[in-house]
Amino acid sequence: MLQSVHLVLCLALLAPNARSQGGGERPSLAGVWQAVRTFEVGAHGELVLRREGEDWRAEIGPFRSVPVDLSGGALSVRLPGDRGSFEGQPTERGTIEGHWTQRATRHAGMQAATPVTLLPGKGDTWRGNVEPLDDVFTCFLVVGPGETVDGVEAYPAFLRNPERNFGVFAEGERLERDGDEVRFIGRWRGRGEPYVLSMGTVSEAGDAVRLPFRGSTFDFERVEGDPASPFRARTPEPWTYVPPPARDDGWAVGTLAEVGMDEGPIRELVEDVIDAPVDSVHAPYVHAMLIARHGKLVVEESFHGFHRGVPHDTRSAAKSLTSFLVGATIQAGEAVALDDPVYETVGAPYLHGGLEARKRAITLEHLLTMSSGLDCDDRDPDSAGNEDTIQSQAENPDWYELILGLDLVRPPGTKAVYGSAQPHLVGRVLSAATGDSVEDLLHRHVARPLDFGRYHLYLQPTGAPYMGGGAFFLARDFLKLGQVVMDGGTWNGRRVLSEDFARRSREPLVRIGDRGYGYFWWSAELPYRDGTVQAFYAGGNGGQVVMGVPELDLVALFFAGNYSDPVMFRIQEELVPEFVLRAVE
C-alpha cells in the first residue's frame, strides 16, 4: 500500500537505478515511466480541390485524384478506407468553407469534425490545411521504492494519464515483478478487492516495461530527470511573469499592473501548480490558466506539455458554448426563438400523432435551463436518458430520436435536472429551425465573429455534432465566451448576443442541486475580501472552467486533467477565490 507516497516518490526519483531492496542484481523499477500511443487519424495535410471542366477532383496526402460529388451546391469528398471526408460550400468571398470528418478516435470512440477553409489558388484550384484531432494516449507509470518477498518484488505504483485520467478508474496500488513478468495490481474505480489490472513484461536490463491497457500495448521507458517530459508541470526553476503575446485572435493584451492586479498571488498560484507533488492519481493536474481583466488578457500559462496551439477537451463546459450558439443564431436574425416548441420544430420523423400534450409544451428555453421534464438525469444511472446510457447503446445511432422518445417524468418548466441530452437536443432544434447544420451555424455565428482558431467537434453516430460536451478548443478562444457573456453580448465592439440573452445566460434562473443555473452557465457566490462577489461559470469534467466575475470585470479559464475525480472542484472552490480574486487590487 502507498504510505507517505510523496516521500516515497522523491526517493524513487533521487535513486531510480538503485538495486531492489531484496538484494537482487536487477535494477529497481522505482521511478517515473512514460509510454505514448499515437493512433491513425486518417488523411491530413493540404487538401486541394480542382475543377476540371464540369468535374471536380480532390487530393490530400497519398490520395491524388478523388472524385468530388456535387449536390445542392455542396462539394463532398469521401476517401476510401475510412480515411476521412470533407463537405463544404463556396462562399461569397471566393473561398470554400466546410468541415473535415475523421474516423472515430480510439480513446473516445467518436468521430470528430474540424473546420476547413479552402482559399483560391492558381487556375481552378482551392487549397486548405486539414488538421484532424490528434488521437494520442499517454500513460505515466509512477513507481515508488519496493521490497522483495519470496522472490517477488513489489512497488507502490499508480497511473497518470492527461487525456482521460484513466488511472482514476484503473486505480493502481502496486507493481509486482516476478522474473521477466510484471503485474499491475489495483482496484477498478477504487472499489472491491485488489486484483491484476494488467500483466506484461520487463526487459532483462530493467529499462523497458510493456503493459496492455484499454486494448493497446504500451511500451514504457524511464523519464525521470527528462526536462522535456510532460510528466512534470514545468522544469523546476523560478517563475517569471511574462505578459501574453499579442496574436491575431482578437484579444487585447496587457500586464497585471495595467489592469490593477497584484503579481504576488498569481506567482503563488503558478508555483502552487508547478510544485504540487504528484503523490497519487488524485493529485491536481492543471493544464492551462488564463486571466483577463478590463477586456485585456494578462495571464497565459500552460503546464504538462500543453501550449496555446493545442485544442483542449472542454467536456461539459462546452454546454455553455451550446447556449452561446443559440443566442448568436438568434442575434444573427435566423428563424429561432426561445419559445419555439421543440417537438413541433423538429417535426417528422420525430413528431408522432400520439404525442402527449405535455411534450408539445416543451420549448427551446426549457432545454436551455435543463427543465424540459424529460427522463434524462445524468446523475441517476437508472435514468433512460442518462448520457452514459445513450452513448453506450448500439441499437439506435440517432441519439436525437432516443432523446425525443424519452418519457416525460415531470411537467416542463417545473424542475431543472442536469442531463446532457438536453443541450444535445438543442442542436437538432437549431438545425431544424434554420435548415442549416449545427457545425455550419457554429462556424458562421460564433467561430468566425470571435476569431476562433483550430477546434474539433465530436459527432454522434449519424454525423451530427454532439452538443452535450466534449468539443476541443484553444484556451484563448474558449475564454472569449466568458468575456462576451460578461460584457453583455459584444466582442470588440461587435454584437454577438443580445444584452438580454447574455444577462439571462449568467443569471440563476433555476436551481440544480444547491447551485444556480442560467442558460447552461452555473452561478456562484465567491468570497472576496470581507464580503462576496457573484460569479458565473462554465464547468466541465476534469476541471474545465471559464469563470466570469462582473463586479470585478474579470474572467479566468482553467483547463485540467482530473477527469472523474472530485479534486477537479478545487479550481473554482480554492484556486480562483484564494489566488485570482486576491490578486485584484
Side-chain angles (χ1 to χ4, degrees):
M1 297 295 291
L2 296 175
Q3 297 179 353
S4 186
V5 189
H6 184 203
L7 176 60
V8 163
L9 179 58
C10 289
L11 292 173
L13 297 177
L14 288 172
N17 295 315
R19 304 295 182 183
S20 65
Q21 295 182 10
E25 294 301 317
R26 294 173 300 184
S28 168
L29 295 182
V32 180
W33 302 73
Q34 177 180 344
V36 180
R37 283 296 307 269
T38 301
F39 300 100
E40 174 63 48
V41 297
H44 55 90
E46 186 180 54
L47 172 65
V48 180
L49 298 189
R50 179 177 292 105
R51 184 166 52 197
E52 300 174 352
E54 297 297 320
D55 297 326
W56 288 70
R57 311 295 291 183
E59 65 177 68
I60 182 172
F63 300 95
R64 289 304 181 192
S65 185
V66 182
V68 177
D69 179 66
L70 302 177
S71 177
L75 299 91
S76 301
V77 179
R78 184 171 297 277
L79 301 183
D82 192 27
R83 298 295 299 275
S85 62
F86 172 78
E87 183 165 338
Q89 290 186 327
T91 71
E92 296 177 353
R93 296 180 299 280
T95 61
I96 296 175
E97 294 189 356
H99 289 80
W100 179 267
T101 299
Q102 68 189 81
R103 64 177 57 172
T105 64
R106 285 287 299 272
H107 68 264
M110 298 171 73
Q111 289 182 296
T114 301
V116 176
T117 297
L118 306 180
L119 302 177
K122 292 183 179 180
D124 286 340
T125 62
W126 285 259
R127 300 171 180 269
N129 197 39
V130 171
E131 293 183 86
L133 174 64
D134 294 332
D135 194 5
V136 177
F137 202 81
T138 308
C139 277
F140 295 102
L141 181 63
V142 185
V143 183
E147 59 182 3
T148 302
V149 179
D150 296 330
V152 177
E153 300 167 39
Y155 305 82
F158 61 89
L159 287 171
R160 188 88 152 159
N161 164 238
E163 293 89 8
R164 308 290 292 183
N165 203 24
F166 176 64
V168 82
F169 298 98
E171 190 160 351
E173 291 192 359
R174 64 185 183 275
L175 187 72
E176 292 184 351
R177 174 167 62 181
D178 187 359
D180 62 356
E181 181 182 277
V182 288
R183 297 181 292 270
F184 183 69
I185 297 174
R187 308 165 193 258
W188 188 251
R189 293 180 177 266
R191 303 169 188 155
E193 294 298 317
Y195 65 99
V196 178
L197 297 170
S198 179
M199 182 180 295
T201 59
V202 58
S203 65
E204 184 176 352
D207 58 356
V209 173
R210 171 171 287 188
L211 285 168
F213 292 109
R214 293 172 55 92
S216 299
T217 300
F218 289 82
D219 293 314
F220 290 87
E221 298 179 347
R222 293 185 184 275
V223 292
E224 65 268 13
D226 179 2
S229 171
F231 174 74
R232 294 185 180 276
R234 293 264 186 89
T235 53
E237 56 188 32
W239 176 76
T240 301
Y241 172 63
V242 177
R247 297 176 64 84
D248 189 21
D249 62 1
W251 272 112
V253 297
T255 67
L256 286 166
E258 287 173 354
V259 299
M261 295 186 71
D262 182 6
E263 184 179 317
I266 304 303
R267 175 184 300 278
E268 293 176 37
L269 173 54
V270 174
E271 291 176 348
D272 179 87
V273 173
I274 294 174
D275 298 337
V278 187
D279 51 12
S280 82
V281 70
H282 305 292
Y285 210 175
V286 174
H287 295 159
M289 175 180 70
L290 277 67
I291 301 171
R293 191 170 191 226
H294 301 329
K296 291 185 177 181
L297 185 65
V298 293
V299 172
E300 182 182 23
E301 300 288 339
S302 54
F303 313 93
H304 295 289
F306 287 86
H307 56 81
R308 67 173 64 94
V310 177
H312 196 281
D313 189 352
T314 58
R315 296 294 180 98
S316 284
K319 288 179 171 66
S320 304
L321 171 75
T322 301
S323 81
F324 196 102
L325 174 60
V326 172
T329 303
I330 294 172
Q331 180 62 31
E334 302 265 11
V336 179
L338 292 175
D339 59 359
D340 283 347
V342 170
Y343 284 83
E344 193 173 312
T345 301
V346 300
Y350 307 111
L351 185 61
H352 306 293
L355 187 69
E356 61 178 296
R358 292 193 307 167
K359 274 193 172 182
R360 293 180 183 271
I362 300 174
T363 67
L364 176 58
E365 188 167 30
H366 287 139
L367 295 179
L368 288 173
T369 56
M370 297 281 194
S371 57
S372 68
L374 293 171
D375 183 15
C376 55
D377 187 349
D378 285 354
R379 295 167 184 180
D380 178 4
D382 295 325
S383 173
N386 177 289
E387 182 180 40
D388 291 341
T389 300
I390 289 177
Q391 294 192 6
S392 62
Q393 61 81 36
E395 291 77 20
N396 191 344
D398 189 341
W399 295 350
Y400 293 141
E401 185 175 17
L402 288 174
I403 296 166
L404 289 162
L406 294 171
D407 290 338
L408 196 70
V409 294
R410 64 186 63 86
T414 58
K415 181 182 178 181
V417 173
Y418 190 84
S420 300
Q422 297 174 95
H424 182 50
L425 185 55
V426 166
R428 182 67 187 95
V429 175
L430 288 178
S431 61
T434 63
D436 212 342
S437 69
V438 176
E439 58 268 36
D440 285 344
L441 290 170
L442 177 63
H443 184 69
R444 185 164 66 248
H445 298 317
V446 180
R448 190 188 298 154
L450 268 61
D451 301 303
F452 274 19
R454 179 184 170 199
Y455 64 90
H456 312 280
L457 306 173
Y458 274 139
L459 309 177
Q460 73 169 28
T462 61
Y466 180 61
M467 302 306 289
F472 285 67
F473 289 93
L474 300 174
R476 288 173 70 130
D477 288 343
F478 208 62
L479 181 64
K480 296 171 186 176
L481 303 180
Q483 185 71 54
V484 171
V485 170
M486 187 178 69
D487 283 350
T490 61
W491 173 250
N492 285 336
R494 175 175 180 172
R495 181 153 296 283
V496 184
L497 310 174
S498 73
E499 188 172 358
D500 182 65
F501 191 94
R503 177 181 55 80
R504 290 180 65 79
S505 292
R506 64 179 191 254
E507 282 188 346
L509 304 177
V510 297
R511 304 290 295 182
I512 297 180
D514 60 353
R515 289 181 289 171
Y517 202 66
Y519 292 161
F520 299 152
W521 290 84
W522 297 96
S523 63
E525 270 194 355
L526 300 181
Y528 177 66
R529 299 184 180 261
D530 296 328
T532 61
V533 289
Q534 192 69 32
F536 67 95
Y537 66 97
N541 189 0
Q544 324 317 320
V545 176
V546 174
M547 179 170 282
V549 186
E551 274 183 72
L552 305 179
D553 197 13
L554 177 141
V555 289
L557 172 144
F558 286 81
F559 283 156
N562 290 112
Y563 305 107
S564 302
D565 193 321
V567 74
M568 74 175 93
F569 298 114
R570 181 173 179 258
I571 290 172
Q572 57 260 45
E573 294 173 357
E574 297 180 25
L575 300 189
V576 172
E578 293 183 11
F579 296 101
V580 179
L581 299 191
R582 185 160 55 87
V584 179
E585 296 173 347

